[in-house]
Amino acid sequence: MSFPQFIRNAICRSTSSKLTLSSRSTTLFATSRFSNRPYCSDSMEKSSSTTASAASYYHLSGGPSHMRAVVFWEPGKPLTFEDFHMPRPKANEVLIKTKACGVCHSDLHVIKGELPFASPCVVGHEITGEVVEHGKLSDSKIVERFPVGSHVVGAFIMPCGSCLFCSKGQDDLCEAFFAYNRAKGTLYDGETRLFLRSSDKPVYMYSMGGLAEYCVVPAHALAVLPNSLPYTESAILGCAVFTAYGAMAHAAEVRPGDAIAVIGIGGVGSSCLQIARAFGASEIIAVDVQDEKLQKAKFLGATHCVNAAKEDAVKKIKDITGGLGVDIAVEALGKPQTFLQCVQSVRDGGKAVMIGLTLSGAKGEVDINHLVRRQIKVIGSYGARARQDLPKLIKLAESGIFNLTAAVSRTCKFEEAPQAYKDLDKGAIAGRAVVEIM
């Protein structure tokens, strides 16, 4: 991809036939502690019995032997704060004292039961923190790269570093991540690192289980955070910015002068605006149904704003681009209606990039003949590549090309995390909320 020099410097720096495509795939939020909730399956308890016993006696050198974390039990049940044994890292894993964790819609999909995931689990997957310990037998180069005391940021896609896709540099398709973490809620030995202090019962991990005072992260998912960048705002680098960069750099392959539309201006969508501006897009059209989000979009790089609740978004995008449509449209909301708008908004030969997660099994319909005759490309994008891209994002933020402060709309205390998800569900968070756990 050909990027502008200033970025390199900063980084170094007509029928009705239809095609149906599968999209990727209430009292929720009290904070009172309760017991007798369903625990993990028998198979997980048996496979983790040795680890659970060991966890009971694990004591962080010079520190505590236990911690608190936010637990999701099952859809319709409240999130609670629970006490855990100190999580123990294994080979090539790092124990992090969590400083901040972003509040992401992906967590909310799990909490509401819209995306299937093992439960009970600790949610939160967008973190910064301080390295406090390495797993035994870790590679010496990992220990050198992330010495104890290092400030780090973690990517939500945690590559194993050795599977077929990781060996090809495609960390975003890591086989172990999808087979173990997303499918089973564990790390790559098939076991969790989280055990309740009261019962030794295992609890699953959504990514690293970041809404906790400590978390275990595979080393390949980490990058060193310079002292010049704050813990709180930098947490969004691990998901919101990470997802936006993957969409723009790898799926869309944005080039200077491209016209781009972003549909859905939440935490990820607003990050897409900044990345598009950094890559030199000429027209950046923000589409949403809330004027507050659209007003903020102008500050983040949007050259035009469209309120889809008040006007036909596709028609307006075509009008702005002289009837052609955009080179690239990005869907960052995860709804069948916006899926269709995304496809209809691109010019002939253009790209429609889908990054919004939605209800499991939801379908999006597009006109087959239009896709075929006009060479429209429909591309899915889940995230970026941790080892290659996360250091680049840090450089963009450090140089000021990506404005972290502008992207974070709210900060809250650890105890306020359940309320933050409640507000996110109501659409009351315009950009990204971050929980401070320090």
Side-chain angles (χ1 to χ4, degrees):
M1 183 189 311
S2 175
F3 296 146
Q5 184 62 41
F6 75 96
I7 294 176
R8 281 200 226 102
N9 292 341
I11 289 177
C12 48
R13 182 280 43 288
S14 261
T15 71
S16 61
S17 300
K18 298 290 181 181
L19 171 66
T20 302
L21 302 175
S22 294
S23 94
R24 279 186 315 177
S25 86
T26 125
T27 309
L28 302 175
F29 307 100
T31 58
S32 59
R33 181 186 173 93
F34 60 95
S35 59
N36 299 321
R37 296 298 182 197
Y39 291 112
C40 308
S41 66
D42 289 341
S43 61
M44 181 173 177
E45 291 189 32
K46 289 176 182 176
S47 67
S48 301
S49 59
T50 302
T51 309
S53 176
S56 302
Y57 301 101
Y58 180 55
H59 197 115
L60 180 63
S61 178
S65 61
H66 57 89
M67 67 163 193
R68 287 193 307 158
V70 177
V71 177
F72 159 70
W73 297 92
E74 60 182 272
K77 299 296 183 182
L79 298 177
T80 65
F81 286 87
E82 303 293 336
D83 288 333
F84 285 80
H85 296 295
M86 182 62 61
R88 177 176 238 162
K90 297 186 180 180
N92 300 326
E93 296 173 353
V94 182
L95 179 63
I96 305 297
K97 181 175 176 58
T98 316
K99 298 294 186 177
C101 182
V103 178
C104 179
H105 241 108
S106 296
D107 293 320
L108 186 61
H109 283 310
V110 170
I111 292 167
K112 295 173 70 175
E114 295 173 348
L115 284 177
F117 194 80
S119 64
C121 71
V122 173
V123 293
H125 57 272
E126 189 180 63
I127 62 115
T128 54
E130 179 185 344
V131 173
V132 293
E133 194 162 277
H134 296 90
K136 290 183 178 179
L137 304 179
S138 289
D139 189 296
S140 60
K141 292 182 180 178
I142 288 175
V143 177
E144 291 174 10
R145 189 159 69 248
F146 304 113
V148 170
S150 297
H151 297 190
V152 292
V153 58
F156 83 93
I157 297 179
M158 307 180 301
C160 69
S162 58
C163 70
L164 173 65
F165 289 105
C166 284
S167 66
K168 295 166 62 177
Q170 294 177 286
D171 290 8
D172 48 329
L173 291 175
C174 174
E175 292 173 309
F177 173 73
F178 288 101
Y180 286 95
N181 189 263
R182 281 301 178 263
K184 300 178 181 180
T186 70
L187 292 185
Y188 308 147
D189 59 352
E191 297 181 346
T192 182
R193 304 294 180 265
L194 299 174
F195 298 90
L196 290 169
R197 192 181 178 202
S198 60
S199 62
D200 286 349
K201 296 288 188 179
V203 172
Y204 297 98
M205 306 164 67
Y206 191 72
S207 289
M208 71 289 289
L211 272 175
E213 292 174 322
Y214 293 83
C215 62
V216 171
V217 187
H220 291 309
L222 296 170
V224 173
L225 188 70
N227 292 334
S228 59
L229 291 179
Y231 277 127
T232 299
E233 289 81 359
S234 298
I236 69 169
L237 290 169
C239 180
V241 185
F242 188 77
T243 302
Y245 188 88
M248 292 299 185
H250 302 306
E253 298 180 308
V254 176
R255 289 173 170 78
D258 281 346
I260 294 173
V262 179
I263 302 173
I265 311 301
V268 175
S270 59
S271 295
C272 285
L273 299 177
Q274 290 208 61
I275 297 293
R277 179 175 61 182
F279 283 6
S282 58
E283 292 170 311
I284 305 173
I285 305 168
V287 181
D288 206 282
V289 295
Q290 295 185 26
D291 286 330
E292 180 186 0
K293 291 184 178 181
L294 293 172
Q295 188 61 39
K296 185 174 183 179
K298 295 177 182 178
F299 179 73
L300 296 176
T303 58
H304 302 79
C305 293
V306 178
N307 188 319
K310 299 176 181 178
E311 53 189 332
D312 185 324
V314 175
K315 183 179 183 302
K316 186 63 176 179
I317 289 170
K318 293 286 183 71
D319 289 343
I320 292 170
T321 56
L324 293 175
V326 290
D327 300 290
I328 297 154
V330 178
E331 199 282 344
L333 191 59
K335 293 182 179 295
Q337 178 186 1
T338 49
F339 179 99
L340 181 58
Q341 288 175 335
C342 184
V343 176
Q344 292 177 333
S345 297
V346 301
R347 63 164 176 78
D348 293 353
K351 297 178 182 178
V353 180
M354 308 300 168
I355 59 177
L357 288 171
T358 186
L359 181 68
S360 182
K363 304 293 190 295
E365 289 188 336
V366 296
D367 187 315
I368 295 174
N369 285 353
H370 180 65
L371 233 62
V372 172
R373 289 171 172 167
R374 309 322 303 163
Q375 299 181 31
I376 307 300
K377 302 171 185 67
V378 180
I379 309 168
S381 179
Y382 192 50
R385 299 164 183 172
R387 291 176 295 175
Q388 303 97 315
D389 296 336
L390 197 53
K392 296 177 185 178
L393 296 178
I394 291 169
K395 290 293 185 183
L396 288 176
E398 193 176 23
S399 68
I401 291 176
F402 192 97
N403 189 328
L404 289 172
T405 302
V408 175
S409 57
R410 183 194 298 188
T411 60
C412 54
K413 298 177 182 178
F414 192 25
E415 293 73 17
E416 298 170 330
Q419 182 62 41
Y421 282 107
K422 197 172 185 179
D423 292 343
L424 183 65
D425 191 33
K426 293 178 180 177
I429 298 177
R432 195 60 140 201
V434 176
V435 176
E436 296 179 322
I437 310 178
M438 293 178 276

PDB file of all heavy atoms in Angstrom, residues 26-32 76-80 108 111-112 417-423 425:
ATOM      1  N   THR A  26     -33.913  -5.492  30.250  1.00  0.00           N
ATOM      2  CA  THR A  26     -33.412  -6.566  30.715  1.00  0.00           C
ATOM      3  C   THR A  26     -32.506  -6.161  31.806  1.00  0.00           C
ATOM      4  O   THR A  26     -31.821  -5.174  31.750  1.00  0.00           O
ATOM      5  CB  THR A  26     -32.969  -7.537  29.656  1.00  0.00           C
ATOM      6  OG1 THR A  26     -31.740  -7.925  29.744  1.00  0.00           O
ATOM      7  CG2 THR A  26     -33.612  -7.254  28.396  1.00  0.00           C
ATOM      8  N   THR A  27     -32.419  -6.924  32.722  1.00  0.00           N
ATOM      9  CA  THR A  27     -31.667  -6.574  33.926  1.00  0.00           C
ATOM     10  C   THR A  27     -30.334  -7.271  33.851  1.00  0.00           C
ATOM     11  O   THR A  27     -30.202  -8.390  34.280  1.00  0.00           O
ATOM     12  CB  THR A  27     -32.413  -6.994  35.195  1.00  0.00           C
ATOM     13  OG1 THR A  27     -33.730  -6.506  35.118  1.00  0.00           O
ATOM     14  CG2 THR A  27     -31.728  -6.445  36.437  1.00  0.00           C
ATOM     15  N   LEU A  28     -29.362  -6.542  33.346  1.00  0.00           N
ATOM     16  CA  LEU A  28     -28.091  -7.179  33.076  1.00  0.00           C
ATOM     17  C   LEU A  28     -26.993  -6.770  34.046  1.00  0.00           C
ATOM     18  O   LEU A  28     -25.960  -7.413  34.103  1.00  0.00           O
ATOM     19  CB  LEU A  28     -27.629  -6.818  31.656  1.00  0.00           C
ATOM     20  CG  LEU A  28     -28.568  -7.171  30.510  1.00  0.00           C
ATOM     21  CD1 LEU A  28     -28.000  -6.625  29.229  1.00  0.00           C
ATOM     22  CD2 LEU A  28     -28.746  -8.661  30.404  1.00  0.00           C
ATOM     23  N   PHE A  29     -27.208  -5.686  34.788  1.00  0.00           N
ATOM     24  CA  PHE A  29     -26.034  -4.983  35.253  1.00  0.00           C
ATOM     25  C   PHE A  29     -25.954  -4.672  36.749  1.00  0.00           C
ATOM     26  O   PHE A  29     -25.308  -3.730  37.125  1.00  0.00           O
ATOM     27  CB  PHE A  29     -25.926  -3.648  34.494  1.00  0.00           C
ATOM     28  CG  PHE A  29     -25.979  -3.839  33.016  1.00  0.00           C
ATOM     29  CD1 PHE A  29     -27.143  -3.616  32.301  1.00  0.00           C
ATOM     30  CD2 PHE A  29     -24.863  -4.271  32.340  1.00  0.00           C
ATOM     31  CE1 PHE A  29     -27.173  -3.799  30.946  1.00  0.00           C
ATOM     32  CE2 PHE A  29     -24.901  -4.455  30.971  1.00  0.00           C
ATOM     33  CZ  PHE A  29     -26.052  -4.217  30.283  1.00  0.00           C
ATOM     34  N   ALA A  30     -26.585  -5.404  37.635  1.00  0.00           N
ATOM     35  CA  ALA A  30     -26.426  -5.149  39.061  1.00  0.00           C
ATOM     36  C   ALA A  30     -25.010  -5.494  39.502  1.00  0.00           C
ATOM     37  O   ALA A  30     -24.349  -6.298  38.876  1.00  0.00           O
ATOM     38  CB  ALA A  30     -27.418  -5.984  39.853  1.00  0.00           C
ATOM     39  N   THR A  31     -24.563  -4.886  40.592  1.00  0.00           N
ATOM     40  CA  THR A  31     -23.193  -5.145  41.041  1.00  0.00           C
ATOM     41  C   THR A  31     -23.145  -5.908  42.360  1.00  0.00           C
ATOM     42  O   THR A  31     -22.091  -6.078  42.939  1.00  0.00           O
ATOM     43  CB  THR A  31     -22.424  -3.829  41.207  1.00  0.00           C
ATOM     44  OG1 THR A  31     -23.117  -3.001  42.139  1.00  0.00           O
ATOM     45  CG2 THR A  31     -22.285  -3.125  39.884  1.00  0.00           C
ATOM     46  N   SER A  32     -24.313  -6.360  42.870  1.00  0.00           N
ATOM     47  CA  SER A  32     -24.295  -7.113  44.126  1.00  0.00           C
ATOM     48  C   SER A  32     -23.714  -8.500  43.902  1.00  0.00           C
ATOM     49  O   SER A  32     -23.923  -9.112  42.866  1.00  0.00           O
ATOM     50  CB  SER A  32     -25.719  -7.229  44.677  1.00  0.00           C
ATOM     51  OG  SER A  32     -26.540  -7.882  43.743  1.00  0.00           O
ATOM     52  N   GLY A  76     -29.404 -12.059  30.867  1.00  0.00           N
ATOM     53  CA  GLY A  76     -30.496 -11.728  31.762  1.00  0.00           C
ATOM     54  C   GLY A  76     -30.121 -11.675  33.221  1.00  0.00           C
ATOM     55  O   GLY A  76     -30.934 -11.292  34.058  1.00  0.00           O
ATOM     56  N   LYS A  77     -28.880 -12.077  33.555  1.00  0.00           N
ATOM     57  CA  LYS A  77     -28.412 -12.023  34.931  1.00  0.00           C
ATOM     58  C   LYS A  77     -27.439 -10.858  35.092  1.00  0.00           C
ATOM     59  O   LYS A  77     -26.770 -10.449  34.142  1.00  0.00           O
ATOM     60  CB  LYS A  77     -27.708 -13.331  35.318  1.00  0.00           C
ATOM     61  CG  LYS A  77     -28.597 -14.571  35.231  1.00  0.00           C
ATOM     62  CD  LYS A  77     -29.755 -14.508  36.207  1.00  0.00           C
ATOM     63  CE  LYS A  77     -30.574 -15.803  36.147  1.00  0.00           C
ATOM     64  NZ  LYS A  77     -31.742 -15.745  37.074  1.00  0.00           N
ATOM     65  N   PRO A  78     -27.345 -10.315  36.302  1.00  0.00           N
ATOM     66  CA  PRO A  78     -26.486  -9.146  36.500  1.00  0.00           C
ATOM     67  C   PRO A  78     -25.003  -9.475  36.454  1.00  0.00           C
ATOM     68  O   PRO A  78     -24.578 -10.580  36.822  1.00  0.00           O
ATOM     69  CB  PRO A  78     -26.885  -8.631  37.882  1.00  0.00           C
ATOM     70  CG  PRO A  78     -27.405  -9.843  38.582  1.00  0.00           C
ATOM     71  CD  PRO A  78     -28.076 -10.686  37.533  1.00  0.00           C
ATOM     72  N   LEU A  79     -24.210  -8.510  36.014  1.00  0.00           N
ATOM     73  CA  LEU A  79     -22.759  -8.591  36.173  1.00  0.00           C
ATOM     74  C   LEU A  79     -22.436  -8.408  37.642  1.00  0.00           C
ATOM     75  O   LEU A  79     -23.063  -7.599  38.329  1.00  0.00           O
ATOM     76  CB  LEU A  79     -22.067  -7.491  35.365  1.00  0.00           C
ATOM     77  CG  LEU A  79     -22.234  -7.485  33.839  1.00  0.00           C
ATOM     78  CD1 LEU A  79     -21.537  -6.269  33.263  1.00  0.00           C
ATOM     79  CD2 LEU A  79     -21.686  -8.755  33.233  1.00  0.00           C
ATOM     80  N   THR A  80     -21.452  -9.138  38.130  1.00  0.00           N
ATOM     81  CA  THR A  80     -21.060  -9.004  39.535  1.00  0.00           C
ATOM     82  C   THR A  80     -19.549  -8.899  39.651  1.00  0.00           C
ATOM     83  O   THR A  80     -18.813  -9.338  38.766  1.00  0.00           O
ATOM     84  CB  THR A  80     -21.541 -10.197  40.381  1.00  0.00           C
ATOM     85  OG1 THR A  80     -20.879 -11.387  39.937  1.00  0.00           O
ATOM     86  CG2 THR A  80     -23.045 -10.384  40.278  1.00  0.00           C
ATOM     87  N   LEU A 108     -20.895  -6.332  25.004  1.00  0.00           N
ATOM     88  CA  LEU A 108     -22.335  -6.168  25.187  1.00  0.00           C
ATOM     89  C   LEU A 108     -23.111  -7.244  24.433  1.00  0.00           C
ATOM     90  O   LEU A 108     -24.116  -7.760  24.934  1.00  0.00           O
ATOM     91  CB  LEU A 108     -22.763  -4.772  24.727  1.00  0.00           C
ATOM     92  CG  LEU A 108     -24.215  -4.388  24.988  1.00  0.00           C
ATOM     93  CD1 LEU A 108     -24.529  -4.409  26.475  1.00  0.00           C
ATOM     94  CD2 LEU A 108     -24.510  -3.002  24.399  1.00  0.00           C
ATOM     95  N   ILE A 111     -22.948 -10.243  26.638  1.00  0.00           N
ATOM     96  CA  ILE A 111     -23.759 -10.043  27.837  1.00  0.00           C
ATOM     97  C   ILE A 111     -25.251 -10.205  27.539  1.00  0.00           C
ATOM     98  O   ILE A 111     -26.009 -10.765  28.340  1.00  0.00           O
ATOM     99  CB  ILE A 111     -23.472  -8.644  28.443  1.00  0.00           C
ATOM    100  CG1 ILE A 111     -22.044  -8.603  29.000  1.00  0.00           C
ATOM    101  CG2 ILE A 111     -24.473  -8.308  29.538  1.00  0.00           C
ATOM    102  CD1 ILE A 111     -21.558  -7.207  29.330  1.00  0.00           C
ATOM    103  N   LYS A 112     -25.671  -9.757  26.373  1.00  0.00           N
ATOM    104  CA  LYS A 112     -27.086  -9.848  26.000  1.00  0.00           C
ATOM    105  C   LYS A 112     -27.443 -11.186  25.361  1.00  0.00           C
ATOM    106  O   LYS A 112     -28.610 -11.422  25.028  1.00  0.00           O
ATOM    107  CB  LYS A 112     -27.433  -8.707  25.049  1.00  0.00           C
ATOM    108  CG  LYS A 112     -27.316  -7.329  25.695  1.00  0.00           C
ATOM    109  CD  LYS A 112     -27.510  -6.214  24.689  1.00  0.00           C
ATOM    110  CE  LYS A 112     -28.937  -6.131  24.210  1.00  0.00           C
ATOM    111  NZ  LYS A 112     -29.151  -4.969  23.306  1.00  0.00           N
ATOM    112  N   ALA A 417     -18.177  -0.041  36.064  1.00  0.00           N
ATOM    113  CA  ALA A 417     -18.155  -0.788  34.799  1.00  0.00           C
ATOM    114  C   ALA A 417     -19.526  -1.337  34.412  1.00  0.00           C
ATOM    115  O   ALA A 417     -19.943  -1.199  33.249  1.00  0.00           O
ATOM    116  CB  ALA A 417     -17.123  -1.908  34.870  1.00  0.00           C
ATOM    117  N   PRO A 418     -20.288  -1.960  35.322  1.00  0.00           N
ATOM    118  CA  PRO A 418     -21.612  -2.456  34.918  1.00  0.00           C
ATOM    119  C   PRO A 418     -22.530  -1.342  34.401  1.00  0.00           C
ATOM    120  O   PRO A 418     -23.269  -1.544  33.441  1.00  0.00           O
ATOM    121  CB  PRO A 418     -22.162  -3.090  36.201  1.00  0.00           C
ATOM    122  CG  PRO A 418     -20.934  -3.501  36.959  1.00  0.00           C
ATOM    123  CD  PRO A 418     -19.950  -2.393  36.690  1.00  0.00           C
ATOM    124  N   GLN A 419     -22.468  -0.177  35.009  1.00  0.00           N
ATOM    125  CA  GLN A 419     -23.293   0.941  34.563  1.00  0.00           C
ATOM    126  C   GLN A 419     -22.864   1.421  33.179  1.00  0.00           C
ATOM    127  O   GLN A 419     -23.696   1.832  32.363  1.00  0.00           O
ATOM    128  CB  GLN A 419     -23.196   2.100  35.555  1.00  0.00           C
ATOM    129  CG  GLN A 419     -24.061   3.306  35.191  1.00  0.00           C
ATOM    130  CD  GLN A 419     -25.548   2.986  35.170  1.00  0.00           C
ATOM    131  OE1 GLN A 419     -26.036   2.268  36.045  1.00  0.00           O
ATOM    132  NE2 GLN A 419     -26.255   3.501  34.183  1.00  0.00           N
ATOM    133  N   ALA A 420     -21.576   1.340  32.889  1.00  0.00           N
ATOM    134  CA  ALA A 420     -21.093   1.752  31.568  1.00  0.00           C
ATOM    135  C   ALA A 420     -21.695   0.869  30.472  1.00  0.00           C
ATOM    136  O   ALA A 420     -22.084   1.368  29.405  1.00  0.00           O
ATOM    137  CB  ALA A 420     -19.563   1.691  31.531  1.00  0.00           C
ATOM    138  N   TYR A 421     -21.774  -0.443  30.718  1.00  0.00           N
ATOM    139  CA  TYR A 421     -22.400  -1.329  29.728  1.00  0.00           C
ATOM    140  C   TYR A 421     -23.891  -1.031  29.601  1.00  0.00           C
ATOM    141  O   TYR A 421     -24.479  -1.135  28.516  1.00  0.00           O
ATOM    142  CB  TYR A 421     -22.173  -2.785  30.103  1.00  0.00           C
ATOM    143  CG  TYR A 421     -20.782  -3.255  29.762  1.00  0.00           C
ATOM    144  CD1 TYR A 421     -19.829  -3.477  30.757  1.00  0.00           C
ATOM    145  CD2 TYR A 421     -20.407  -3.456  28.442  1.00  0.00           C
ATOM    146  CE1 TYR A 421     -18.550  -3.890  30.444  1.00  0.00           C
ATOM    147  CE2 TYR A 421     -19.127  -3.876  28.120  1.00  0.00           C
ATOM    148  CZ  TYR A 421     -18.203  -4.093  29.123  1.00  0.00           C
ATOM    149  OH  TYR A 421     -16.926  -4.489  28.803  1.00  0.00           O
ATOM    150  N   LYS A 422     -24.510  -0.674  30.703  1.00  0.00           N
ATOM    151  CA  LYS A 422     -25.925  -0.305  30.676  1.00  0.00           C
ATOM    152  C   LYS A 422     -26.140   0.921  29.800  1.00  0.00           C
ATOM    153  O   LYS A 422     -27.050   0.974  28.971  1.00  0.00           O
ATOM    154  CB  LYS A 422     -26.388  -0.037  32.110  1.00  0.00           C
ATOM    155  CG  LYS A 422     -27.883  -0.035  32.322  1.00  0.00           C
ATOM    156  CD  LYS A 422     -28.157   0.049  33.815  1.00  0.00           C
ATOM    157  CE  LYS A 422     -29.640  -0.065  34.100  1.00  0.00           C
ATOM    158  NZ  LYS A 422     -29.921  -0.011  35.554  1.00  0.00           N
ATOM    159  N   ASP A 423     -25.264   1.919  29.957  1.00  0.00           N
ATOM    160  CA  ASP A 423     -25.359   3.140  29.151  1.00  0.00           C
ATOM    161  C   ASP A 423     -25.047   2.860  27.683  1.00  0.00           C
ATOM    162  O   ASP A 423     -25.667   3.432  26.784  1.00  0.00           O
ATOM    163  CB  ASP A 423     -24.404   4.204  29.695  1.00  0.00           C
ATOM    164  CG  ASP A 423     -24.830   4.726  31.060  1.00  0.00           C
ATOM    165  OD1 ASP A 423     -26.000   4.519  31.435  1.00  0.00           O
ATOM    166  OD2 ASP A 423     -23.988   5.317  31.763  1.00  0.00           O
ATOM    167  N   ASP A 425     -25.677   0.141  26.118  1.00  0.00           N
ATOM    168  CA  ASP A 425     -26.849  -0.532  25.579  1.00  0.00           C
ATOM    169  C   ASP A 425     -27.952   0.466  25.224  1.00  0.00           C
ATOM    170  O   ASP A 425     -28.739   0.241  24.294  1.00  0.00           O
ATOM    171  CB  ASP A 425     -27.368  -1.552  26.597  1.00  0.00           C
ATOM    172  CG  ASP A 425     -28.404  -2.480  26.024  1.00  0.00           C
ATOM    173  OD1 ASP A 425     -28.315  -2.800  24.814  1.00  0.00           O
ATOM    174  OD2 ASP A 425     -29.313  -2.899  26.764  1.00  0.00           O
TER     175      ASP A 425
END
